């Protein structure tokens, strides 16, 4: 991998500890590759255990005072964080397009929704009673302590802002470990947040590998809480290794979300909506609706509607506002998706759209063909495992009960959708889906509504008051 001629390579050798950018003690250097063309665009020096302990110590020392901050002090900080991050929306969006390959039509709203989390958390904090008393008993919500925030690469700005906002609202100090693949994006974000003039040590950031920095955060007794977004395997490891120091954990993990299309759905609206949910963030989305469950009697019409609607899902340069699907984040991710497409074909599913290999003209980057499989049985590998790419499985059902049974026949339970015309019926079906969030008729968001998974999709909730509650302990004081 060579740098593109004429491009400057961005070099990062520091971490953000105790309010300053400090040189890395860790010496390992990692290349940052641009997914759209496979070229090196950056080099980052990775943190080691000592950098991590340094950051934890700074957070611990800051917790002595910030842990006793008032609601109004925290609210002020949240407003300053919002202002500081808002000033860099364009830079944050460009960094997500460049380093991650996120399509600009999704990258900007995702950056904005992250930044809005600061104000949403402030609102939730104002509405959340931190003290309740009766008789001679007083119950308070106390910050849990130093919180480690460990995040994935597919929506870096959103994860950082969302977790930081909830932690600050609760009165916690923080050590953030972003994905090492999001180093350039994180740097823009931290430069922005630095301008908020935070108390020193409130926010510390160490960029490094999971099995080095993440492992130290998981075992260090001075870390009270881990808020994690990533894969099931790493979530399980954090939960089991964290048990030694009785870590509190919030785990936001994978998904294989069902979209139930009811037989009264208007296909002209429902199919584009289903495809948007399937191909969200180029398919690299935990909430992606990757199992479309359709009435058998409407299968032919559904196939025609999918073929018609696919023209809107153009593959291309992520910086082009017309592009709906960009490259995958890495060669590894490209290969993973290709292997699932092969597996689907081997298991007897039929390719309606897409298939193996790069789309024509996009051989240089990590592009895959958006793929729709039909004749999928829910017990096939492609219907059970999270692919994390633009691959949709269409599964047919005979009755509403069977549709619900297929939707719930998954180890995951993060998100779900119901598409139909009769709202009362759609609500009835939605109420039987075993997932943390279910949307009716479109992909929508509410920053005060909880986010998180049933089953293997995770433990705990984020967003609004649910997010703040994940960073507190409850204390009762009883007078005689
Ligand atoms: P990942 O689990 O490989 O990595 C996530 C983070 O954990 C990274 O920062 C990584 O460095 C760190 N890590 C790795 N090993 C570790 C260890 N031993 N100890 C501590 N930390 C360690 O996940 P990923 O590939 O970055 O992200 C994709 C996954 O994230 C998908 O499964 C996706 O569904 C999930 N995800 C979930 C949500 C949600 O809200 N539920 C959102 C986005 C992504």
């Amino acid at each position: 991998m060579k740098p593109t001629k004429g491009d400057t390579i961005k070099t990062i050798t520091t971490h953000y500890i105790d309010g300053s950018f400090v040189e890395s003690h860790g010496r390992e250097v990692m290349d940052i590759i641009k997914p759209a063309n496979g070229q090196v665009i950056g080099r980052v020096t990775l943190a080691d255990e000592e950098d991590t302990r340094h950051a934890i110590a700074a957070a611990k020392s800051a917790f002595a005072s910030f842990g006793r901050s008032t609601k109004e002090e925290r609210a002020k900080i949240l407003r300053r964080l919002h202002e500081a991050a808002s000033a860099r929306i364009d830079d944050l969006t460009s960094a997500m397009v460049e380093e991650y390959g996120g399509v600009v039509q999704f990258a900007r709203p995702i950056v904005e929704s992250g930044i809005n989390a600061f104000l949403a958390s402030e609102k939730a904090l104002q509405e959340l009673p931190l003290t309740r008393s009766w008789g001679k008993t007083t119950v308070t919500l106390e910050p849990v302590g130093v919180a480690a925030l460990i995040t994935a690469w597919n929506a870096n700005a959103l994860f950082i802002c969302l977790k930081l906002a909830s932690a600050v609202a609760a009165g916690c100090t923080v050590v953030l470990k972003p994905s090492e693949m999001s180093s350039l994006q994180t740097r823009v974000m931290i430069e922005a947040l630095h301008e908020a003039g935070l108390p020193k040590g409130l926010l510390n950031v160490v960029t490094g590998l999971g099995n080095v920095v993440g492992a130290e955060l998981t075992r260090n007794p001075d870390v009270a809480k881990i808020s994690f977004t990533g894969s099931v395997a790493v979530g399980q490891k954090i939960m089991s290794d964290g048990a030694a120091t009785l870590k509190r954990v919030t785990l936001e993990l994978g998904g294989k979300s069902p979209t139930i299309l009811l037989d009264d759905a208007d296909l002209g609206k429902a199919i584009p909506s289903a495809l948007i949910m399937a191909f969200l963030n180029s398919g690299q989305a935990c909430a992606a609706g990757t199992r479309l469950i359709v009435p058998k009697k409407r299968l032919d019409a559904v196939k025609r509607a999918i073929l018609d609607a696919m023209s809107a899902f153009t593959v291309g340069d992520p910086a082009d506002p017309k592009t709906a699907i960009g490259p995958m984040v890495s060669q590894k991710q490209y290969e993973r998706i290709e292997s699932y497409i092969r597996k689907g074909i081997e298991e007897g599913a039929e390719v309606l759209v897409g298939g193996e290999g790069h789309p024509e003209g996009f051989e240089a980057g990590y592009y895959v063909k958006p793929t729709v499989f039909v004749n999928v049985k829910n017990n096939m590998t492609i219907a059970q495992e999270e692919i994390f790419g633009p691959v949709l499985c269409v599964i047919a059902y005979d009755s509403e009960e069977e549709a619900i049974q297929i939707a719930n026949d998954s180890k995951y339970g993060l998100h779900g959708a119901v598409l139909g015309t009769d709202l009362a019926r759609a609500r009835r079906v939605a109420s039987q889906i075993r997932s943390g969030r279910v949307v009716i008729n479109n992909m929508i968001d509410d920053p005060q509504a909880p986010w998180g998974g049933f089953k293997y999709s995770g433990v705990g909730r984020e967003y609004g008051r649910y997010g703040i509650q994940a960073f507190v302990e409850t204390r009762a004081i009883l007078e005689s």
Side-chain angles (χ1 to χ4, degrees):
M1 305 278 178
K2 293 268 169 349
T4 323
K5 259 196 193 132
D7 275 4
T8 43
I9 294 190
K10 298 183 183 81
T11 306
I12 298 173
T13 61
T14 54
H15 309 293
Y16 185 71
I17 300 178
D18 212 19
S20 316
F21 291 94
V22 297
E23 281 301 316
S24 183
H25 180 268
R27 303 304 332 143
E28 193 180 340
V29 176
M30 190 185 105
D31 285 344
I32 302 287
I33 314 283
K34 179 171 170 159
N37 61 13
Q39 305 288 341
V40 176
I41 53 166
R43 288 210 171 93
V44 54
T45 306
L46 300 170
D48 63 9
E49 286 87 349
E50 191 161 326
D51 294 309
T52 313
R53 287 193 285 269
H54 185 185
I56 295 169
K60 184 181 179 185
S61 153
F63 184 71
S65 55
F66 191 65
R68 299 175 63 80
S69 53
T70 63
K71 211 180 224 192
E72 201 33 58
E73 285 162 346
R74 296 177 202 168
K76 248 189 226 155
I77 290 179
L78 288 167
R79 291 194 292 270
R80 291 214 304 268
L81 285 165
H82 176 261
E83 204 184 314
S86 298
R88 299 287 299 273
I89 290 181
D90 290 344
D91 296 337
L92 288 162
T93 303
S94 310
M96 183 167 174
V97 173
E98 175 89 354
E99 184 183 36
Y100 162 63
V103 294
V104 72
Q105 57 171 249
F106 178 81
R108 195 177 175 94
I110 208 77
V111 164
E112 287 170 347
S113 94
I115 293 171
N116 286 337
F118 292 120
L119 292 188
S121 273
E122 189 214 336
K123 180 172 188 287
L125 175 63
Q126 300 291 10
E127 290 168 3
L128 180 68
L130 295 182
T131 304
R132 287 183 60 221
S133 23
W134 58 91
K136 291 183 171 186
T137 298
T138 304
V139 176
T140 55
L141 300 184
E142 299 294 326
V144 63
V146 172
L149 316 179
I150 304 180
T151 56
W153 41 258
N154 62 319
N156 182 64
L158 171 67
F159 302 143
I160 293 178
C161 295
L162 190 61
K163 290 183 191 296
L164 178 62
S166 298
V168 165
C172 291
T173 57
V174 157
V175 179
L176 164 71
K177 192 212 94 60
S179 168
E180 57 280 10
M181 287 157 74
S182 309
S183 300
L184 304 182
Q185 297 163 81
T186 303
R187 177 49 58 111
V188 179
M189 177 63 83
I190 302 312
E191 283 172 4
L193 300 183
H194 178 71
E195 294 303 315
L198 301 174
K200 281 190 177 18
L202 169 56
L203 167 65
N204 305 277
V205 185
V206 268
T207 301
L209 300 178
N211 59 3
V212 178
V213 177
E216 177 62 32
L217 291 167
T218 305
R219 73 177 157 251
N220 194 297
D222 288 333
V223 174
K225 159 93 193 177
I226 298 195
S227 178
F228 171 78
T229 296
S231 61
V232 170
V234 174
Q236 287 170 322
K237 183 150 178 58
I238 288 174
M239 201 171 189
S240 64
D241 292 356
T245 47
L246 234 54
K247 292 277 188 289
R248 279 68 177 139
V249 291
T250 297
L251 305 176
E252 296 290 351
L253 311 177
K256 193 74 196 177
S257 300
T259 300
I260 296 184
L261 186 119
L262 296 172
D263 58 11
D264 67 351
D266 169 354
L267 295 187
K269 288 186 195 152
I271 291 299
S273 174
L275 295 180
I276 286 171
M277 289 189 265
F279 298 140
L280 201 67
N281 202 4
S282 306
Q284 299 178 123
C286 51
T290 48
R291 291 184 298 143
L292 178 58
I293 302 168
V294 306
K296 209 171 269 167
K297 59 184 180 214
R298 299 194 70 189
L299 189 56
D300 287 338
V302 165
K303 286 190 205 171
R304 281 195 301 275
I306 291 176
L307 289 169
D308 282 351
M310 279 307 290
S311 58
F313 293 87
T314 46
V315 175
D317 176 359
D320 182 342
K322 290 194 292 296
T323 299
I325 298 176
M328 302 297 97
V329 72
S330 63
Q331 177 67 21
K332 186 173 155 210
Q333 193 68 9
Y334 169 84
E335 283 164 12
R336 174 187 163 89
I337 292 153
E338 290 297 309
S339 76
Y340 275 112
I341 294 175
R342 265 195 305 281
K343 185 85 181 161
I345 296 167
E346 279 161 25
E347 287 187 340
E350 180 193 327
V351 174
L352 179 70
V353 181
E356 286 181 73
H358 290 276
E360 219 181 297
F362 292 96
E363 288 77 13
Y366 307 133
Y367 290 92
V368 300
K369 292 180 191 157
T371 297
V372 180
F373 278 111
V374 290
N375 289 346
V376 178
K377 299 278 167 275
N378 198 50
N379 61 3
M380 287 180 181
T381 309
I382 52 168
Q384 286 295 322
E385 295 185 11
E386 183 183 49
I387 298 175
F388 223 56
V391 181
L392 173 64
C393 296
V394 178
I395 304 167
Y397 70 83
D398 283 314
S399 65
E400 192 177 297
E401 294 68 40
E402 194 193 359
I404 295 164
Q405 183 270 321
I406 293 170
N408 289 333
D409 178 16
S410 168
K411 70 177 191 175
Y412 294 110
L414 183 63
H415 205 269
V418 182
L419 309 174
T421 305
D422 176 351
L423 254 187
R425 185 176 168 211
R427 286 188 193 121
R428 191 180 67 227
V429 172
S431 71
Q432 295 172 77
I433 296 184
R434 308 254 323 139
S435 294
R437 254 196 202 194
V438 185
V439 296
I440 294 180
N441 284 337
N442 265 314
M443 189 68 188
I444 37 167
D445 190 19
D446 173 350
Q448 301 298 335
W451 176 275
F454 283 33
K455 303 187 267 183
Y456 278 69
S457 289
V459 174
R461 295 291 179 271
E462 297 196 281
Y463 279 59
R465 71 160 55 195
Y466 306 92
I468 300 173
Q469 282 164 351
F471 287 94
V472 299
E473 293 281 14
T474 307
R475 182 179 62 208
I477 294 185
L478 291 76
E479 296 171 22
S480 62

